[in-house]
Amino acid sequence: PYNGAVYGRDFAAQPVPELSTLDMAQIHLPVFGLKEEGRAFLAIIEDGDGLARVEATVAGMRDSFNKVWASFDVLPQVRVFLEAAGELIHLRRLSINMYQARPYLGDMVVRYAFLTGDEATYAGMARRYRQYLLERYQFQPPEPGRMPLVLHVLGAIDRIRPVLGVPSTVVTPLTTFDQARRIVEALEAHGVGPVHLRYLGWLEGGLRHLFPDRVRLEPELGTAADLRSLESFLESRGSSLFLDAGFALVRQNSLFDSFVSYSHASRFLNRNQAYVNVHNIATFQPVARLRMPLLSPSRYSAVIDRFASDYAPLGVDGLSVGDLGKMLYSDFRLDPERVVDRQNALEIVVGELQKLREKGYRLMLEGGNAYVLPYAAHVVEAPIYSRGSNILDQPVPFYAMATSGLLVRSAPPANLTGLEARPYLLKLLETGMLPSFTVAYASSSEVKHTDFHSLHSISYFDLEDEVLAIYREAEEVLGDLWRRGIIDHSCYTFEVCRTEYDDGTTIVVNYGRKPFEGDGLHVPALGYAVLRGGKEDVDEVR
């Protein structure tokens, strides 16, 4: 049976002991649906969505029906093994159930829309949900213009190096403020359009920055004047700068910040301080020294307010608050009055994003859970493919369809997804997403033998040919389709899919290793065909 938590795992429920490669893709949108012949329904979880799960069975599994429904964790619980007591009385499997200190006290609302005829498809469901979002939140469509390129620029990392013969933690710059400017200048020289630059690791400590209760620039990257110069340079070119800060995970804690783990960290259901494990990618086992505490959602307001007051003098109106776009977790305190359940946490995140937007900041968010979409100027690392479970037959780009034309969205970085360049390009054409890359000015060898070795192949000048090739072809084919709505999607086979945009353009992509012939089309292996303006004749084949 299928069973997935809406908005992903609650990391405060219990620690993830080992990394599983079989984890399902995160559910970013609180919707589900079912179709039978010319009839279908779409269900939208309007309230209580932070506690919801989508469950499904197929005919023959439990009975003769295909079924899908929403369930709600109104009283989260976990089984805790009493290891010490078990050793003492020789009952090593002795355990108890521990529960949230109070049940969820709010409403649970599911809205159903019924679809018939041509609307009774997953594309029809996506159109209906997109219309629902438009009516509820009055999105402003992306402004017309050339297709942007999204760069995730790595500022600095920390690593162990000998200092006077003593192994010490030192910060190593990967891309200074001035070097970030040089990367953009190199792209401009090759005719690349506006660049949306997300700068990570600019706070003191680098990618694993200090607790962000105030703004402290990493001195290895440059001064505040250098940063303002970079912002002015990008603005004059029609590009954008988004400085990234993480608030949910406490990446690095010092004696002189305002974070006190006993008071300010969330609690697991077993009432221990909550944290997220970092796993060794070879053994899948957690690395104890790298575990990161989870900041309680009840502390978001105080921390973000202090950060925002320090951020304002920089003069940068773009702010990337990546982890708030995809992480939603509780705080299971013993005191029922201090419990923050997932729905409370969702409301806190929405309140903070609204407050930041009212201060005039343009927000970039990662992943893009449904509740953050109205406040996002740009969603990065939006889902474009799924590793789903065995019960799923075929992935469909529902997220891409439902959010198309509402806001700017970019795909995960091409050089870190594991996809080859050609399938990645086809995904861009199928979903209308912007291309993105994670880059640094320094050599990729700088991350070897560090905690960031998974950031392989990041040197911009090694990647330049691939960046230019993907961007140019995507821009040539998509034109302004990246800002238009997707009105239909279907698949001829598992590997050949067809996307229709609201200007009448249709793109057929073939992920297979053999050419596709059918419906009057010839689509080469790992290629695509473009029909523009609603014409029956193929305009372009590659």
Side-chain angles (χ1 to χ4, degrees):
Y2 178 88
N3 189 321
V6 176
Y7 308 137
R9 183 194 301 270
D10 184 346
F11 287 95
Q14 57 184 337
V16 181
E18 66 180 42
L19 184 66
S20 171
T21 57
L22 301 178
D23 283 348
M24 291 185 295
Q26 180 164 322
I27 300 174
H28 293 280
L29 303 177
V31 297
F32 58 92
L34 190 66
K35 172 190 174 180
E36 182 190 27
E37 297 178 350
R39 301 174 298 167
F41 70 81
L42 171 70
I44 305 169
I45 307 170
E46 286 193 339
D47 207 351
D49 47 327
L51 312 169
R53 306 185 73 86
V54 175
E55 301 190 51
T57 60
V58 295
M61 183 173 284
R62 291 179 176 170
D63 51 36
S64 59
F65 298 98
N66 294 302
K67 297 184 289 187
V68 60
W69 66 96
S71 61
F72 297 85
D73 294 334
V74 295
L75 191 62
Q77 62 91 22
V78 68
R79 176 167 291 186
V80 177
F81 291 95
L82 305 180
E83 297 176 4
E87 290 286 344
L88 184 64
I89 60 178
H90 305 292
L91 292 173
R92 299 191 179 187
R93 302 302 290 175
L94 186 65
S95 65
I96 60 171
N97 288 331
M98 298 191 72
Y99 298 86
Q100 185 174 284
R102 60 156 175 79
Y104 171 62
L105 303 176
D107 294 331
M108 291 164 284
V109 179
V110 182
R111 177 186 295 271
Y112 288 88
F114 298 97
L115 310 172
T116 59
D118 293 339
E119 290 295 305
T121 63
Y122 63 80
M125 296 177 193
R127 290 193 296 270
R128 180 61 62 90
Y129 184 58
R130 182 171 174 271
Q131 186 62 35
Y132 168 85
L133 291 175
L134 271 171
E135 293 173 355
R136 188 167 187 178
Y137 298 112
Q138 292 81 48
F139 283 89
Q140 296 297 320
E143 296 181 359
R146 286 192 65 188
M147 188 181 81
L149 173 67
V150 180
L151 287 186
H152 306 263
V153 174
L154 304 177
I157 60 172
D158 61 278
R159 64 185 305 162
I160 303 297
R161 276 186 170 161
V163 177
L164 299 177
V166 179
S168 305
T169 300
V170 297
V171 174
T172 300
L174 297 180
T175 313
T176 66
F177 301 138
D178 183 60
Q179 289 169 344
R181 173 176 178 157
R182 289 186 221 168
I183 291 175
V184 176
E185 287 175 336
L187 287 167
E188 280 187 346
H190 289 288
V192 173
V195 175
H196 291 179
L197 194 153
R198 181 192 185 197
Y199 206 123
L200 301 101
W202 62 280
L203 286 169
E204 186 175 358
L207 292 181
R208 198 153 47 206
H209 59 71
L210 297 181
F211 186 62
D213 54 352
R214 53 195 178 95
V215 174
R216 293 162 285 202
L217 298 183
E218 174 48 56
E220 295 287 339
L221 302 180
T223 64
D226 296 330
L227 181 57
R228 281 190 284 269
S229 175
L230 174 62
E231 157 72 4
S232 300
F233 168 78
L234 291 171
E235 186 177 1
S236 68
R237 302 306 203 267
S239 297
S240 304
L241 175 63
F242 296 87
L243 300 178
D244 185 82
F247 295 100
L249 296 173
V250 182
R251 292 164 170 79
Q252 194 176 155
N253 186 20
S254 72
L255 292 174
F256 306 105
D257 60 36
S258 62
F259 178 74
V260 180
S261 58
Y262 178 79
S263 302
H264 301 154
S266 281
R267 289 290 191 274
F268 286 130
L269 272 168
N270 64 9
R271 301 338 186 235
N272 290 330
Q273 292 176 29
Y275 57 83
V276 168
N277 276 320
V278 176
H279 297 87
N280 184 304
I281 62 173
T283 66
F284 291 174
Q285 299 304 303
V287 183
R289 66 179 180 82
L290 296 180
R291 62 176 50 168
M292 295 177 284
L294 285 167
L295 178 67
S296 171
S298 63
R299 296 289 304 167
Y300 283 174
S301 182
V303 175
I304 292 175
D305 283 350
R306 292 181 64 179
F307 178 88
S309 64
D310 260 15
Y311 190 80
L314 292 178
V316 180
D317 64 355
L319 177 60
S320 168
V321 284
D323 48 17
L324 295 186
K326 65 177 182 179
M327 290 189 69
L328 186 66
Y329 56 88
S330 311
D331 184 0
F332 298 106
R333 300 275 170 169
L334 269 176
D335 182 354
E337 298 296 322
R338 298 181 63 197
V339 167
V340 180
D341 60 43
R342 279 192 105 195
Q343 194 65 28
N344 298 147
L346 184 154
E347 293 162 0
I348 290 170
V349 171
V350 167
E352 293 307 305
L353 296 180
Q354 186 170 3
K355 192 162 57 177
L356 287 170
R357 197 174 69 167
E358 289 170 355
K359 290 177 187 256
Y361 294 116
R362 293 178 299 111
L363 300 179
M364 177 178 279
L365 292 147
E366 186 177 323
N369 288 341
Y371 54 88
V372 308
L373 295 180
Y375 310 99
H378 192 136
V379 171
V380 294
E381 302 199 33
I384 60 171
Y385 57 87
S386 172
R387 292 193 306 257
S389 59
N390 289 338
I391 197 176
L392 305 178
D393 294 322
Q394 180 160 351
V396 296
F398 189 91
Y399 187 97
M401 290 187 285
T403 60
S404 61
L406 301 183
L407 71 165
V408 181
R409 310 148 305 145
S410 60
N415 54 317
L416 298 180
T417 60
L419 291 178
E420 295 180 0
R422 195 63 179 175
Y424 182 84
L425 173 67
L426 297 181
K427 274 296 178 187
L428 299 181
L429 305 185
E430 183 187 6
T431 60
M433 298 278 188
L434 296 177
S436 78
F437 292 83
T438 296
V439 299
Y441 193 86
S443 168
S444 301
S445 62
E446 287 291 336
V447 299
K448 290 179 65 176
H449 310 299
T450 73
D451 296 327
F452 305 94
H453 51 75
S454 59
L455 297 172
H456 51 84
S457 185
I458 56 172
S459 174
Y460 168 75
F461 295 101
D462 292 340
L463 291 167
E464 187 173 65
D465 290 344
E466 181 180 347
V467 172
L468 295 175
I470 289 178
Y471 173 81
R472 285 169 176 165
E473 190 163 357
E475 183 189 32
E476 181 182 347
V477 178
L478 288 176
D480 72 340
L481 296 180
W482 62 272
R483 53 177 295 272
R484 292 193 170 275
I486 295 174
I487 60 173
D488 199 14
H489 183 276
S490 59
C491 291
Y492 296 105
T493 69
F494 185 81
E495 297 172 326
V496 182
C497 294
R498 177 186 186 109
T499 303
E500 183 178 350
Y501 292 87
D502 60 12
D503 70 342
T505 301
T506 297
I507 299 178
V508 181
V509 295
N510 179 7
Y511 296 99
R513 302 288 174 173
K514 296 180 180 179
F516 170 76
E517 301 281 352
D519 199 21
L521 294 170
H522 168 80
V523 187
L526 288 175
Y528 57 87
V530 182
L531 295 79
R532 298 197 186 274
K535 297 185 302 182
E536 292 299 324
D537 296 331
V538 176
D539 183 66
E540 184 178 6
V541 176
R542 290 193 191 179

